Every structure is written in structure tokens, then in C-alpha cells.
Amino acid sequence: MHFKELILKELYKFCNSFNLYFITFGPQISKMKYLQLFVFFSTVSMLAQTSFENGEKCYLLGKFDQAKTFFETSLKQNPNDLKSLEYLGDIQCHNKQWEKAVPFYLKLTKLKPANAEYFYKYGGALGMQAKEANKFKALSLIDDVKVAFKKAIQLNPNHIGARWALLEIYIQLPGIVGGSESKAKKYADELLKISPVDGYLSKGHIEEYFNRYSNAEKYYLKAIEIGNSKTTYQKLADLYKNKMAQPEKARKLWATYNEKNKS
């Protein structure tokens, strides 16, 4: 029996007994019954809250299997609970069960169609599902992936992750099925306006993907100049070591980073 049906059944029985008791013993006991009714609903609310709170605690501790069980219980109690749905999708993604994550995020986009993050997570899970599927299945999913990421950008014009995702799709897909370097560059230009570091990293990434390593180096150096983060140094060091066969340059670059970031 569903949680809602169980509650309605118990409520009906409780109210029935309340009416009989009231008729038999008179209105002087009505306050006591109202208190019982209050306690009953408070208990139901506490049970639902406990399932979610226990799930969240387990999730934050990295106990994902236990968290999943609690969130599933919470969802049975409230099928439209946004946070339980999101956590269950996140757990499936953590386990690389992309296809199982998709329905949770899809439901979130239906419940909250103005939430950019839900569309971003939906597109991400769907994209990973496409990546691991056979070519025919992947092609059937890719348009939905693009639509989801574009919707995230529409809802949040400064969404960085969705632009990175679309950029990656456009450089990796063959032109015959929708790949486009020019469209990838368009998103890199947008990133440059929103976040200069992401903009230069994305431009460098495009150049690196198409084996234009000297151009990639210039963009990564610009990213380092602006951001001076470990990520920016990592991208350039990897380029030197893995693509340009210059491990010594990579070593010196890391030495520079460590010198600048002494504690």
C-alpha cells in the first residue's frame, strides 16, 4: 500500500473513532482527541523528515548506498520531493549509472521548469549515457542533450558548465552529425565574456583538440596570467608533456607554480 493511501486509511479510521467517542462521551473530551490528531500528523511529518535527514547525513559522509535507501523512503512518502530526487540522481551519477540518473533529473525539469541546474544535470547524465551507448543510440540522444544544455543557458545566461559541455559536443562530433568548430568557438567567446579564465582555457582546449599546439600554448599562458590557479598550470603542463614532447618545460612550469604558491 502506498504511503499516501496508508495515511488516508489510518486517518479515516482515526476520525471514525473520534466521532464515535465524541458521541458517546460528550464534547468535554474533544480537546484530547484534537491533541491526538495533532500528534498523529506530527509523527508522520517527523518520519518523512527523518528519512531525508538521515539520507543527507549518509550522503555527506560518502555512504551512498545507505543514503540511497533513505532517499527512496523519503520519495515514497513524498514523490515530488525535489531534494530527494536530486540526491538520487546524483548518487546514480556517482555510480556511473547514467541511464538510471536520467529519469530523476528529467522529473526535476518537469517539476521546476525554470531551474537551470536541473536541465544542466539532465543534459549531463543524458550526455554520458550517449557517450557509453552504441553509435545509433548515441545519435538518438544527442539532440536532447543539446536542448537541455541550451535550456540551462537560456534560464541562466551566465551558466559556465553548460557552455563547456556544448563546446565539447561540437568539437567531438563529426560534422555530418552536427559537429562544428565554429559553434564551439562561439561558446568559447561567450565564456571569455563571463569568465576570462574559462574563456582562455576553452579557446586553448579547442586549439589543442585540433592539434594547433602553439596556439593552445598562447591561450593557456593567458589563462595562467589571469587565473594563476593549479588548473591553468595543469592544462599547460599537460600540453607540454603529452602533446609537445617537452617534459622539461612542464617541469619548469610546475616549479614556477610551486614557487608562487609557497605557503
Side-chain angles (χ1 to χ4, degrees), residues 19-146:
N19 288 335
L20 291 171
Y21 201 70
F22 185 85
I23 290 168
T24 304
F25 295 99
Q28 67 272 17
I29 50 78
S30 61
K31 288 183 180 180
M32 181 179 70
K33 282 297 174 182
Y34 279 124
L35 179 60
Q36 289 178 345
L37 189 62
F38 172 77
V39 170
F40 174 78
F41 280 111
S42 297
T43 302
V44 169
S45 177
M46 286 172 63
L47 284 171
Q49 187 179 34
T50 299
S51 294
F52 176 81
E53 288 179 347
N54 285 336
E56 194 166 44
K57 287 175 183 176
C58 289
Y59 183 91
L60 294 174
L61 290 171
K63 299 177 180 179
F64 298 114
D65 289 340
Q66 293 178 43
K68 179 174 175 287
T69 301
F70 282 121
F71 289 132
E72 285 172 343
T73 301
S74 176
L75 208 60
K76 286 177 183 175
Q77 295 162 357
N78 180 4
N80 292 332
D81 182 61
L82 300 177
K83 290 304 295 181
S84 293
L85 286 165
E86 187 173 10
Y87 272 126
L88 285 168
D90 292 350
I91 289 169
Q92 296 295 357
C93 286
H94 173 80
N95 294 331
K96 295 182 169 45
Q97 297 293 317
W98 316 111
E99 191 168 357
K100 291 181 180 179
V102 166
F104 292 113
Y105 296 140
L106 178 60
K107 186 171 182 177
L108 286 169
T109 66
K110 304 294 184 186
L111 292 171
K112 287 288 182 180
N115 188 301
E117 280 306 301
Y118 292 159
F119 280 94
Y120 176 61
K121 288 190 173 186
Y122 171 57
L126 202 61
M128 292 305 298
Q129 181 186 343
K131 184 178 179 182
E132 295 187 358
N134 62 61
K135 290 181 180 179
F136 294 106
K137 177 67 173 177
L139 288 174
S140 71
L141 296 173
I142 202 67
D143 284 343
D144 289 338
V145 175
K146 290 179 184 178

Side-chain angles (χ1 to χ4, degrees), residues 5 17 20 39 45 53 59 68 78 115 118 140 160 172-173 177 191-192 200 204 220-221 228 230 233 241 248-249:
E5 294 170 347
S17 66
L20 291 171
V39 170
S45 177
E53 288 179 347
Y59 183 91
K68 179 174 175 287
N78 180 4
N115 188 301
Y118 292 159
S140 71
I160 290 174
Q172 292 204 23
L173 277 180
V177 290
L191 282 168
L192 189 62
Y200 285 120
Y220 289 152
L221 284 168
N228 194 41
K230 187 173 183 178
Y233 279 87
K241 183 179 178 180
E248 184 59 22
K249 254 190 167 182

Side-chain angles (χ1 to χ4, degrees), residues 195-213:
S195 166
V197 173
D198 282 282
Y200 285 120
L201 285 175
S202 63
K203 285 177 176 290
H205 180 62
I206 293 170
E207 296 301 313
E208 181 179 353
Y209 184 84
F210 290 106
N211 303 324
R212 298 187 290 259
Y213 299 141

Side-chain angles (χ1 to χ4, degrees), residues 15 31 111 154-155 157 186 204 220 242:
C15 290
K31 288 183 180 180
L111 292 171
Q154 180 187 336
L155 293 169
K186 168 184 169 290
Y220 289 152
N242 302 323

Side-chain angles (χ1 to χ4, degrees), residues 146-157:
K146 290 179 184 178
V147 168
F149 287 138
K150 288 176 181 179
K151 184 66 175 178
I153 291 171
Q154 180 187 336
L155 293 169
N156 177 6

